[in-house]
Amino acid sequence: MLLDDLRKDPLAYSPGVYVHIPFCAAVCSYCAFSVEVFRNGSSSAYIEALTQELRSRLSEIDSNVKSLYIGGGTPSILEPSELYKVVEVLHGTQLVEFTLEANPESITKAKLKSYKEMGVSRISLGVQSFDDKVLKFFGRSHSVLQAIEAIDAVAEFGLELSLDIIYGSGAEDEGSFDLTVSALREVADRLDHVSCYALTLEPRTRLHHRYRHTLVKDQVVKDEDVLASRYYRLDEELLELGFYNYEISNWAKADKECRHNMNYWLRGEYLGVGSSAHSFIGSVRAANEFSPKRYVETIYNVGSAITSMEHLSSEQERIEKILLGIRCSVGVERSIAGEIPSSLEALVEETDGFFTLTRDGRMLADMVALKLISNK
Ligand SMILES: C[S@@+](CC[C@H](N)C(=O)[O-])C[C@H]1O[C@@H](n2cnc3c(N)ncnc32)[C@H](O)[C@@H]1O
Ligand code: SF4
């Protein structure tokens, strides 16, 4: 079982490589990631900078790279030949997992064929909702029908498939949420993994702007009680469909957990290239230039796009172990967090010397982590 193995060896999937592709068909109303609207020809300078950065920094990590994650943005908007220029840099590496993020409007059978040929093992598909009304509110560039067609196409090519869902938007009434839950039930046999995120209102997004003008919060994002009840319903349904929750927002079928993300949460090493990408190598956390345009400029002019670096102290490492570990079903070792305070008894449980969250505890993860941090 993966989790038992990871308790014994938390660094089993270290190191990983993350590649950021910032291009999208349109920018969604809730999204604050490093993205820009894709125009023909706008990606070549970026891809050139990306391969340059990857080539020059690869020696910073162990050459035995375990996972590659191409995320964004919308990597599937590019021609596979452009993505291959980046993948080629890792030629010869025996990857355990290779994930590519894709959106329903830009994934095609021809692209899926090329992804398979270049070694992609897993597609993470952003469907967000199975109600067209909600997709419109999000400013998504696809319909529910296109999402279902994309799911079927990925299944046909035999690639592992994960879906991203966002719940709790102002446009999502009980009927819309039911549509999403029943669609998940219908496609469950074609899925290996599901990520479900409560909508967060991020600064500098269209939704945030709308909230500041109307000040009617539940037209934008539902209140805490609705979010909690939707989370519990998703958890119950996914459990019934054969998925288990292995991180607060992530459910997988047995042995289909995302190795690349597990490595983040268990604090293994990773190299991140591209705009906004983060790296964690030898106790140092580093972040790249956020803007895609400035990223390309600084790679060309300076040779590096790192804008901040932080060397973690041993106390900061302990804090991170608790903050990240408590969110996963791997948990936090008792030796790191001390005894469970009596006030947390309903929220935290202990198995084999590891603390994990109960179902109610998952709703209060940050508060639990803060209490465990100040426990010693
Ligand atoms: C950065 S996106 C990239 C994936 C892909 N471009 C897509 O949109 O389907 C990764 C995931 O983060 C989630 N996400 C982004 N912004 C969010 C927000 N404000 N609240 C909740 N989830 C969010 C979405 O589920 C999205 O699929
Ligand atoms: S959610 Fe995905 S598709 Fe939408 S803007 Fe963000 S990265 Fe692009």
Side-chain angles (χ1 to χ4, degrees):
M1 165 106 175
L2 178 81
L3 299 182
D4 294 335
D5 294 347
L6 285 172
R7 281 184 176 175
K8 282 188 208 109
D9 179 12
L11 303 182
Y13 296 104
S14 171
V17 170
Y18 173 77
V19 174
H20 189 76
I21 304 290
F23 307 106
C24 294
V27 177
C28 302
S29 59
Y30 54 82
C31 185
F33 283 76
S34 165
V35 292
E36 65 178 42
V37 174
F38 177 68
R39 287 186 190 81
N40 271 340
S42 63
S43 53
S44 55
Y46 184 87
I47 295 290
E48 195 53 47
L50 205 52
T51 49
Q52 190 178 316
E53 187 190 17
L54 184 56
R55 251 187 239 113
S56 70
R57 294 188 62 195
L58 206 47
S59 59
E60 291 177 28
I61 50 171
D62 187 307
S63 59
N64 193 9
V65 175
K66 304 282 185 3
S67 68
L68 170 61
Y69 195 108
I70 305 189
T74 307
S76 60
I77 208 166
L78 298 182
E79 282 307 315
S81 56
E82 282 204 282
L83 292 174
Y84 189 67
K85 288 183 187 157
V86 185
V87 175
E88 222 180 359
V89 180
L90 291 170
H91 187 74
T93 314
Q94 293 295 315
L95 297 172
V96 175
E97 181 186 271
F98 176 179
T99 303
L100 185 101
E101 279 185 347
N103 284 31
E105 72 278 2
S106 54
I107 201 166
T108 61
K109 289 191 181 178
K111 283 182 178 172
L112 282 163
K113 185 167 176 284
S114 304
Y115 297 158
K116 240 191 140 166
E117 283 163 7
M118 72 171 88
V120 171
S121 61
R122 192 174 176 271
I123 297 285
S124 171
L125 186 70
V127 303
Q128 316 309 349
S129 167
F130 283 94
D131 183 3
D132 281 313
K133 180 177 71 185
V134 176
L135 294 181
K136 197 165 172 221
F137 177 83
F138 284 157
R140 298 287 294 177
S141 305
H142 62 87
S143 63
V144 171
L145 188 63
Q146 280 173 298
I148 293 173
E149 284 169 356
I151 291 169
D152 289 342
V154 175
E156 194 184 304
F157 278 85
L159 291 160
E160 273 185 43
L161 176 59
S162 176
L163 297 189
D164 276 0
I165 300 285
I166 299 180
Y167 61 93
S169 73
E172 184 188 74
D173 51 30
E174 285 296 332
S176 333
F177 186 63
D178 284 344
L179 282 175
T180 295
V181 170
S182 49
L184 282 175
R185 251 186 254 136
E186 290 216 343
V187 299
D189 61 335
R190 278 152 271 173
L191 307 181
D192 301 284
H193 187 282
V194 184
S195 303
C196 300
Y197 306 105
L199 177 68
T200 57
L201 212 43
E202 302 292 334
R204 291 180 294 282
T205 58
R206 294 203 298 288
L207 281 191
H208 198 266
H209 187 73
R210 178 162 159 180
Y211 167 58
R212 281 206 345 259
H213 278 263
T214 60
L215 291 178
V216 189
K217 197 162 184 187
D218 74 350
Q219 280 187 7
V220 181
V221 56
K222 295 283 187 282
D223 68 36
E224 293 292 318
D225 291 347
V226 176
L227 293 179
S229 82
R230 296 213 168 142
Y231 179 85
Y232 284 132
R233 169 107 186 269
L234 283 166
D235 189 44
E236 270 161 24
E237 297 276 351
L238 288 169
L239 206 62
E240 249 176 54
L241 293 168
F243 299 84
Y244 85 104
N245 180 267
Y246 73 101
E247 193 273 345
I248 292 180
S249 308
N250 288 278
W251 289 258
K253 288 187 180 161
D255 205 36
K256 301 293 181 184
E257 303 86 352
C258 177
R259 267 59 175 173
H260 183 85
N261 287 342
M262 287 301 312
N263 181 52
Y264 287 157
W265 301 322
L266 297 179
R267 303 184 66 259
E269 292 197 324
Y270 53 90
L271 169 67
V273 293
S275 59
S276 78
H278 286 64
S279 301
F280 181 49
I281 303 167
S283 293
V284 177
R285 293 209 175 270
N288 272 0
E289 179 62 67
F290 186 83
S291 140
K293 186 169 175 281
R294 283 201 300 276
Y295 166 77
V296 173
E297 284 165 5
T298 48
I299 288 287
Y300 283 155
N301 298 333
V302 188
S304 161
I306 295 175
T307 53
S308 67
M309 273 177 119
E310 187 183 15
H311 196 290
L312 301 183
S313 65
S314 55
E315 178 55 10
Q316 280 171 313
E317 298 210 308
R318 187 183 82 88
I319 290 171
E320 277 195 358
K321 280 182 188 162
I322 296 174
L323 279 171
L324 295 168
I326 201 68
R327 300 178 63 87
C328 305
S329 51
V330 172
V332 179
E333 261 184 286
R334 182 221 293 253
S335 59
I336 294 163
E339 296 301 318
I340 303 178
S342 56
S343 60
L344 295 184
E345 266 163 16
L347 305 176
V348 179
E349 55 198 4
E350 185 182 345
T351 38
D352 303 329
F354 281 79
F355 294 164
T356 52
L357 295 170
T358 61
R359 206 157 180 252
D360 288 337
R362 283 193 244 149
M363 291 283 92
L364 298 165
D366 291 340
M367 181 278 282
V368 170
L370 290 178
K371 285 216 165 150
L372 291 178
I373 287 165
S374 52
N375 205 18
K376 256 193 157 180

